[in-house]
Amino acid sequence: MRHGDISSSNDCLGVAVVNYKMPSLHTKAEVLANARKIGEMLIGMKRGLPGMDLVVFPEYSNHGIMYDAREMYETAATIPGEETEIFAAACRKANVWGIFSLTGERHEEHPNKAPYNTLILMNNQGEIVQKYRKIMPWVPIEGWYPGDCTYVSDGPKGMKISLIICDDGNFPEIWRDCAMQGAELIVRCQGYMYPAKEQQVMVAKTMAWMNNVYVAVANATGFDGVYSYFGHSAIVGFDGRTLGECGEEEMGIQYAELSVSLIRDARKNMQSQNHLFKLLHRGYTGTINSGDDVKGVAACPYNFYAKWINDPEGTRKMVESFTRTTVGTPECPIDGIPNQETDHR
């Protein structure tokens, strides 16, 4: 893991993250013009960072947040489509991989169902390698249709990459799910606003440490007329220490080199802090000393997860018993969000 240079090597993946200014857009033409701006920025960044293998743009960087529902549906993209063609041309020209936000992607039943909040990982040939749909939209505000799974893909120089989006990252389950599928770099693209700056900076570092994984965060900056976005795009080592972090500046860039061999060596040879290994080899010192299984205990001891998988509706009722039974709350009502008991639609 290296920070401070503009290079990379056969072993080190050069990763850049961008504090992209949150755009305020209303039409498809404006969205496509902004996509071209992103493509031009990518090409320019490669001139200044010759080692850059992968560049990450934040959630909402392409479309902005469409606060008007009609505009959100009308500008929703198809994948592949016009936006991805623009990104593909830039990736080919710069010989760089990119991670791009498309908010939204048209649902299969468009316009009868809400769009998805989607990220794509695109290679340096302009091919889409991974398409991830946000599993945990930021309710009650975001109206995206939820995705249903995570992915791991081979990225540049063989680094195994997973994509997650903004509020996804507040749930430890998604980080573990990606890491346990073999992800070595988890990329969190976000359009996160104040007041949660301190918490989100902490989350990236903590999840890197707990999952023995590199983390790259790209966040929006600026004010879009509704929210103020705090930036702090960052690259974090698998030991939980920050390699590089932007401030709140608009269009700020951070860059670091992530060693492929180092994280693989660490996961193979670390002992006391090898959290992925230890989770499935619980208490092996004690079982060895007891004459039992030398690999410890593999069984999951966490009843909540077994209950959730086997009885999701029952588990929902369990959680509602100590939280609330309606999605909204009458003490702080939000238009369109029920806060009284009704039958499911």
Side-chain angles (χ1 to χ4, degrees):
M1 298 179 287
R2 297 197 293 260
H3 177 262
D5 203 79
I6 59 174
S7 189
S8 63
S9 66
N10 290 338
D11 178 63
C12 286
L13 180 69
V15 179
V17 293
V18 180
N19 257 13
Y20 200 80
K21 184 181 186 301
M22 179 67 80
S24 182
L25 309 174
H26 303 281
T27 67
K28 186 70 165 182
E30 291 175 338
V31 169
L32 294 176
N34 187 54
R36 287 188 283 271
K37 180 181 174 182
I38 290 172
E40 291 165 2
M41 184 175 187
L42 181 156
I43 293 167
M45 288 173 64
K46 180 64 174 181
R47 292 185 64 184
L49 298 167
M52 185 176 74
D53 299 299
L54 173 67
V55 59
V56 185
F57 290 91
E59 180 191 30
Y60 291 113
S61 54
N62 189 57
H63 284 70
I65 297 180
M66 304 281 180
Y67 294 102
D68 182 283
R70 179 183 58 83
E71 292 177 351
M72 182 180 84
Y73 279 71
E74 288 179 353
T75 59
T78 58
I79 301 175
E82 293 176 276
E83 294 87 352
T84 61
E85 288 178 7
I86 294 169
F87 299 146
C91 287
R92 286 191 295 265
K93 184 171 183 178
N95 191 30
V96 166
W97 291 54
I99 294 173
F100 307 102
S101 170
L102 291 158
T103 48
E105 178 202 359
R106 290 188 174 193
H107 193 281
E108 293 84 353
E109 297 182 36
H110 180 83
N112 297 319
K113 293 188 182 295
Y116 299 104
N117 181 333
T118 301
L119 285 181
I120 59 168
L121 170 64
M122 180 173 281
N123 68 19
N124 57 346
Q125 301 301 310
E127 300 164 333
I128 297 172
V129 174
Q130 184 178 142
K131 182 176 78 169
Y132 168 72
R133 293 166 168 171
K134 190 174 188 178
I135 289 175
M136 299 296 297
W138 189 55
V139 295
I141 302 302
E142 284 187 338
W144 306 116
Y145 204 90
D148 60 7
C149 64
T150 61
Y151 304 91
V152 178
S153 304
D154 288 339
K157 296 175 179 174
M159 181 78 77
K160 296 186 181 300
I161 298 174
S162 285
L163 309 179
I164 67 173
I165 303 174
C166 203
D167 198 34
D168 282 334
N170 289 319
F171 299 85
E173 291 82 6
I174 197 168
W175 299 90
R176 188 72 84 197
D177 189 59
C178 293
M180 283 301 193
Q181 293 181 75
E184 297 163 329
L185 168 61
I186 299 178
V187 177
R188 185 189 190 193
C189 298
Q190 57 191 51
Y192 232 118
M193 65 290 288
Y194 288 99
K197 181 185 81 171
E198 180 180 352
Q199 292 88 340
Q200 299 313 316
V201 171
M202 175 182 65
V203 162
K205 295 161 66 72
T206 303
M207 292 299 104
W209 168 250
M210 288 185 173
N211 292 285
N212 308 127
V213 70
Y214 293 119
V215 171
V217 176
N219 192 35
T221 52
F223 178 66
D224 68 352
V226 177
Y227 290 114
S228 176
Y229 304 88
F230 56 76
H232 283 266
S233 300
I235 303 168
V236 183
F238 59 80
D239 59 0
R241 293 183 292 179
T242 300
L243 297 170
E245 182 177 331
C246 294
E248 299 166 20
E249 71 277 8
E250 295 177 2
M251 300 306 193
I253 298 167
Q254 264 294 354
Y255 178 77
E257 302 168 66
L258 307 182
S259 168
V260 178
S261 65
L262 187 60
I263 188 171
R264 293 176 184 176
D265 179 79
R267 287 180 171 183
K268 180 179 180 180
N269 291 301
M270 285 199 311
Q271 298 195 55
S272 63
Q273 306 300 340
N274 196 329
H275 306 125
L276 304 182
F277 181 85
K278 288 172 66 178
L279 190 60
L280 274 296
H281 299 77
R282 292 189 298 112
Y284 61 79
T285 305
T287 60
I288 290 170
N289 292 341
S290 301
D292 295 332
D293 192 335
V294 297
K295 290 191 174 184
V297 179
C300 177
Y302 307 116
N303 292 333
F304 164 71
Y305 291 106
K307 183 175 177 61
W308 188 7
I309 290 168
N310 294 318
D311 182 14
E313 286 298 327
T315 307
R316 171 154 48 191
K317 288 183 173 62
M318 179 188 74
V319 171
E320 289 177 347
S321 73
F322 54 82
T323 56
R324 64 176 185 267
T325 58
T326 59
V327 291
T329 168
E331 296 186 23
C332 184
I334 295 174
D335 287 345
I337 306 298
N339 56 48
Q340 302 294 330
E341 286 290 351
T342 59
D343 293 332
H344 289 299
R345 284 193 279 178

